[in-house]
Coordinates of all heavy atoms in Angstrom, one line a residue:
P438 N 0.8 -1.2 0.0 CA 0.0 0.0 0.0 C 0.9 1.3 0.0 O 1.9 1.4 0.7 CB -0.8 -0.1 1.3 CG -0.9 -1.6 1.6 CD 0.5 -2.1 1.1
I439 N 0.5 2.2 -0.8 CA 1.3 3.4 -1.0 C 1.1 4.4 0.2 O 2.1 4.9 0.7 CB 0.9 4.1 -2.3 CG1 1.1 3.2 -3.5 CG2 1.6 5.4 -2.5 CD1 0.5 3.7 -4.8
F440 N -0.1 4.6 0.6 CA -0.4 5.5 1.7 C -1.2 4.8 2.8 O -2.3 5.1 3.1 CB -1.3 6.7 1.2 CG -0.7 7.5 0.0 CD1 -1.1 7.3 -1.2 CD2 0.4 8.3 0.3 CE1 -0.6 8.0 -2.3 CE2 1.0 9.0 -0.8 CZ 0.5 8.9 -2.0
K441 N -0.5 3.9 3.4 CA -1.2 3.0 4.4 C -2.0 3.7 5.5 O -3.1 3.3 5.8 CB -0.1 2.0 5.0 CG -0.7 1.0 5.9 CD 0.3 0.0 6.3 CE -0.3 -1.1 7.2 NZ 0.7 -2.1 7.6
N442 N -1.4 4.7 6.0 CA -2.1 5.4 7.2 C -2.4 6.9 6.8 O -2.2 7.8 7.6 CB -1.2 5.4 8.4 CG -1.0 4.0 8.9 OD1 -2.0 3.2 9.0 ND2 0.2 3.6 9.1
D443 N -2.8 7.1 5.6 CA -2.9 8.5 5.1 C -4.2 8.6 4.2 O -4.6 7.6 3.6 CB -1.7 9.0 4.4 CG -1.6 10.5 4.4 OD1 -2.5 11.2 4.9 OD2 -0.6 11.0 3.8
F444 N -4.7 9.8 4.1 CA -5.8 10.1 3.2 C -5.2 11.1 2.2 O -5.2 12.3 2.4 CB -7.0 10.7 3.8 CG -7.7 9.8 4.7 CD1 -7.4 9.8 6.1 CD2 -8.7 8.9 4.2 CE1 -8.1 8.9 6.9 CE2 -9.3 8.1 5.1 CZ -9.1 8.1 6.4
A445 N -4.6 10.6 1.1 CA -3.9 11.4 0.1 C -4.8 12.1 -0.8 O -5.9 11.6 -1.2 CB -2.9 10.5 -0.7
R446 N -4.5 13.4 -1.1 CA -5.3 14.2 -2.0 C -4.3 14.8 -3.1 O -3.1 15.1 -2.7 CB -6.0 15.3 -1.3 CG -7.0 14.8 -0.3 CD -7.6 16.0 0.4 NE -8.4 15.5 1.5 CZ -9.7 15.3 1.4 NH1 -10.3 15.5 0.3 NH2 -10.4 14.8 2.4
F447 N -4.8 15.0 -4.3 CA -3.9 15.4 -5.3 C -4.4 16.7 -6.0 O -5.7 16.8 -6.1 CB -3.7 14.3 -6.4 CG -3.0 13.1 -5.8 CD1 -3.7 12.1 -5.3 CD2 -1.6 13.0 -5.7 CE1 -3.1 11.0 -4.7 CE2 -1.0 11.9 -5.2 CZ -1.8 10.9 -4.7
S448 N -3.5 17.4 -6.6 CA -3.9 18.6 -7.4 C -2.8 18.9 -8.4 O -1.9 18.1 -8.5 CB -4.1 19.8 -6.4 OG -4.4 21.0 -7.2
Y449 N -2.9 20.0 -9.0 CA -1.8 20.4 -10.0 C -1.8 21.9 -10.1 O -2.7 22.6 -9.6 CB -2.0 19.8 -11.4 CG -3.3 20.3 -12.1 CD1 -3.2 21.3 -12.9 CD2 -4.5 19.7 -11.9 CE1 -4.3 21.8 -13.6 CE2 -5.6 20.1 -12.5 CZ -5.5 21.2 -13.4 OH -6.6 21.6 -14.0
R450 N -0.7 22.4 -10.6 CA -0.5 23.8 -10.9 C 0.4 23.9 -12.1 O 1.2 23.0 -12.4 CB 0.0 24.6 -9.8 CG 1.4 24.4 -9.4 CD 1.8 25.3 -8.3 NE 3.2 25.0 -7.9 CZ 3.9 25.7 -7.0 NH1 3.3 26.7 -6.3 NH2 5.1 25.4 -6.7
W451 N 0.3 25.0 -12.8 CA 1.1 25.3 -14.0 C 2.3 26.2 -13.7 O 2.2 27.1 -12.9 CB 0.3 26.0 -15.1 CG -0.9 25.2 -15.5 CD1 -1.1 23.8 -15.5 CD2 -2.1 25.7 -16.1 NE1 -2.3 23.5 -16.0 CE2 -3.0 24.6 -16.3 CE3 -2.6 27.0 -16.4 CZ2 -4.2 24.7 -16.9 CZ3 -3.8 27.1 -16.9 CH2 -4.6 26.0 -17.2
K452 N 3.4 25.9 -14.3 CA 4.6 26.8 -14.2 C 4.7 27.4 -15.6 O 4.8 26.8 -16.6 CB 5.8 26.1 -13.9 CG 7.0 27.0 -13.8 CD 8.3 26.2 -13.4 CE 9.5 27.2 -13.4 NZ 10.7 26.5 -13.2
Y453 N 4.7 28.8 -15.6 CA 4.8 29.5 -16.9 C 6.2 29.7 -17.3 O 7.2 29.6 -16.5 CB 4.1 30.8 -16.7 CG 2.6 30.7 -16.5 CD1 2.1 30.8 -15.2 CD2 1.7 30.4 -17.5 CE1 0.8 30.6 -14.9 CE2 0.3 30.3 -17.2 CZ -0.1 30.4 -15.9 OH -1.4 30.2 -15.7
V454 N 6.5 30.1 -18.5 CA 7.8 30.3 -19.1 C 8.5 31.4 -18.4 O 9.8 31.4 -18.3 CB 7.8 30.5 -20.6 CG1 7.4 29.2 -21.3 CG2 7.0 31.7 -21.0
D455 N 7.8 32.4 -17.8 CA 8.5 33.5 -17.1 C 8.8 33.2 -15.6 O 9.2 34.0 -14.8 CB 7.6 34.8 -17.2 CG 6.2 34.6 -16.5 OD1 6.0 33.5 -15.9 OD2 5.5 35.6 -16.5
G456 N 8.6 31.9 -15.2 CA 8.9 31.5 -13.8 C 7.8 31.6 -12.8 O 7.9 31.2 -11.7
E457 N 6.7 32.2 -13.2 CA 5.5 32.4 -12.3 C 4.7 31.0 -12.3 O 4.8 30.2 -13.2 CB 4.6 33.5 -12.9 CG 5.3 34.8 -12.9 CD 5.5 35.4 -11.5 OE1 4.6 35.2 -10.6 OE2 6.5 36.1 -11.2
Y458 N 3.9 30.9 -11.2 CA 3.1 29.7 -11.0 C 1.6 30.1 -11.0 O 1.3 31.2 -10.5 CB 3.5 29.0 -9.7 CG 4.8 28.3 -9.8 CD1 5.9 29.0 -9.4 CD2 4.9 27.0 -10.2 CE1 7.2 28.4 -9.4 CE2 6.2 26.4 -10.2 CZ 7.3 27.1 -9.9 OH 8.5 26.5 -9.9
S459 N 0.8 29.2 -11.4 CA -0.7 29.4 -11.3 C -1.1 29.1 -9.8 O -0.3 28.6 -9.1 CB -1.4 28.5 -12.3 OG -1.3 27.2 -11.9
T460 N -2.3 29.4 -9.5 CA -2.9 28.9 -8.2 C -3.1 27.4 -8.3 O -3.0 26.8 -9.4 CB -4.2 29.6 -7.9 OG1 -5.1 29.3 -9.0 CG2 -4.0 31.1 -7.8
Y461 N -3.2 26.8 -7.2 CA -3.5 25.3 -7.2 C -4.9 25.1 -7.8 O -5.8 25.8 -7.5 CB -3.5 24.8 -5.8 CG -2.2 25.0 -5.0 CD1 -2.2 25.0 -3.6 CD2 -1.0 25.1 -5.6 CE1 -1.1 25.1 -2.9 CE2 0.2 25.3 -4.9 CZ 0.1 25.3 -3.5 OH 1.3 25.4 -2.8
A462 N -5.0 24.0 -8.5 CA -6.3 23.5 -8.9 C -7.0 22.9 -7.7 O -6.3 22.6 -6.7 CB -6.2 22.5 -10.0
P463 N -8.3 22.7 -7.7 CA -8.9 22.1 -6.5 C -8.3 20.7 -6.2 O -8.0 20.0 -7.2 CB -10.4 22.0 -6.9 CG -10.6 23.0 -7.9 CD -9.3 23.1 -8.7
F464 N -8.2 20.3 -5.0 CA -7.6 19.0 -4.6 C -8.7 18.0 -4.8 O -9.9 18.2 -4.7 CB -7.1 19.0 -3.2 CG -5.7 19.6 -3.0 CD1 -5.6 20.9 -2.9 CD2 -4.6 18.7 -3.0 CE1 -4.3 21.4 -2.8 CE2 -3.4 19.2 -2.9 CZ -3.2 20.6 -2.8
S465 N -8.2 16.8 -5.2 CA -9.1 15.6 -5.4 C -9.8 15.2 -4.0 O -9.3 15.6 -3.0 CB -8.4 14.5 -6.0 OG -7.4 14.0 -5.0
T466 N -10.7 14.3 -4.1 CA -11.2 13.7 -2.9 C -10.1 12.8 -2.4 O -9.2 12.4 -3.2 CB -12.5 12.9 -3.2 OG1 -12.2 11.9 -4.2 CG2 -13.6 13.8 -3.6
A467 N -10.2 12.3 -1.2 CA -9.2 11.5 -0.6 C -9.1 10.2 -1.4 O -10.1 9.5 -1.7 CB -9.5 11.2 0.8
A468 N -7.8 9.8 -1.7 CA -7.6 8.5 -2.4 C -7.5 7.4 -1.3 O -6.4 7.3 -0.7 CB -6.3 8.6 -3.2
F469 N -8.5 6.7 -1.1 CA -8.6 5.8 0.0 C -9.4 4.5 -0.3 O -10.5 4.7 -0.8 CB -9.2 6.4 1.3 CG -9.2 5.5 2.5 CD1 -8.1 5.3 3.2 CD2 -10.4 4.9 2.8 CE1 -8.1 4.5 4.4 CE2 -10.4 4.0 3.9 CZ -9.3 3.9 4.7

């Protein structure tokens, strides 16, 4: 098991060519 004692959530963000970052996308529901 990858996250045996955890409720993992995932999201993403973009990195632009000028070095700036976007805000986080909404996190997923818990992967459990």
Side-chain angles (χ1 to χ4, degrees):
I439 301 169
F440 302 108
K441 187 174 181 179
N442 296 311
D443 201 1
F444 292 96
R446 297 174 188 270
F447 298 93
S448 180
Y449 65 93
R450 69 178 178 177
W451 300 333
K452 180 180 178 186
Y453 298 98
V454 293
D455 64 359
E457 297 289 324
Y458 290 89
S459 70
T460 59
Y461 301 155
F464 278 85
S465 67
T466 57
F469 181 81

